[in-house]
Amino acid sequence: MMRGEVGLLADLGVLAIPFAAHEHEAVFTVAESDAVHAAMPGAHTKNLFLKDKGGAFWLVTVPSDARVNLKALPGAIGCKHVSFGKAEDMERLLGISPGSVTPLAAINAVPGSITMVLDEVLAVAETVNVHPLRNTATFGLPGATILDLLRHWGHQPLVAAIPVQEES
């Protein structure tokens, strides 16, 4: 059952989780996000929706400026070769479309249907900025709180040191 943003707001209320909400114009790229995010304190994110060779799905959330090393990533998260997942799988599993990807979409995902991964830097960040299932708003909340929410929704999030490409 897709609970969506209404469910998300309800859970934030029930769990008494404070967060900063920022409404803004739609953003589709990290570059567009950077312009909007300049005024927002905290860590900004990008999300990789991936499928591994075994057919399992992964959502990996990393700092927005990280250039993830996709060859080294499987070793860091415990899977075999990964490729980018299809938009229709994202829609089916998470109830969101590309451009609105967020770890908070786990509220819509059946536990066990996708593994949520948070970069270790974000896991301990005081403020992590993520979309509330749409790309016209950003919520800022602690990394530890994002992990708590994922667990609340029945997921077992993975915190990992996500490998990045060396700057050339």
Side-chain angles (χ1 to χ4, degrees):
M1 181 183 109
M2 300 279 170
R3 295 188 53 217
E5 189 176 357
V6 171
L8 172 62
L9 291 169
D11 285 359
L12 289 168
V14 166
L15 299 170
I17 293 171
F19 63 97
H22 309 272
E23 294 287 331
H24 52 73
E25 63 204 36
V27 290
F28 296 94
T29 65
V30 169
E32 287 175 342
S33 300
D34 285 345
V36 166
H37 292 158
M40 295 176 208
H44 296 283
T45 56
K46 72 176 168 190
N47 298 276
L48 307 179
F49 177 69
L50 304 168
K51 185 177 185 178
D52 70 21
K53 222 170 179 133
F57 290 93
W58 301 77
L59 184 67
V60 180
T61 303
V62 297
S64 60
D65 57 359
R67 292 175 60 223
V68 176
N69 181 333
L70 290 175
K71 282 200 166 88
L73 180 63
I77 63 176
C79 69
K80 290 195 166 79
H81 177 82
V82 292
S83 57
F84 286 97
K86 294 186 170 78
E88 52 265 31
D89 289 322
M90 182 189 295
E91 186 77 44
R92 177 174 57 82
L93 292 169
L94 295 168
I96 51 170
S97 52
S100 299
V101 189
T102 169
L104 300 181
I107 190 172
N108 289 332
V110 176
S113 64
I114 185 166
T115 303
M116 309 299 291
V117 183
L118 196 60
D119 184 272
E120 63 182 9
V121 175
L122 298 176
V124 297
E126 195 175 316
T127 304
V128 177
N129 292 294
V130 291
H131 288 312
L133 288 72
R134 59 187 166 95
N135 64 354
T136 53
T138 298
F139 284 5
L141 59 175
T145 301
I146 293 173
L147 292 170
D148 289 343
L149 278 168
L150 296 175
R151 292 184 189 108
H152 175 75
W153 296 325
H155 299 279
Q156 299 295 322
L158 190 62
V159 173
I162 303 301
V164 293
Q165 294 174 7
E166 298 304 317
E167 294 301 320
S168 51

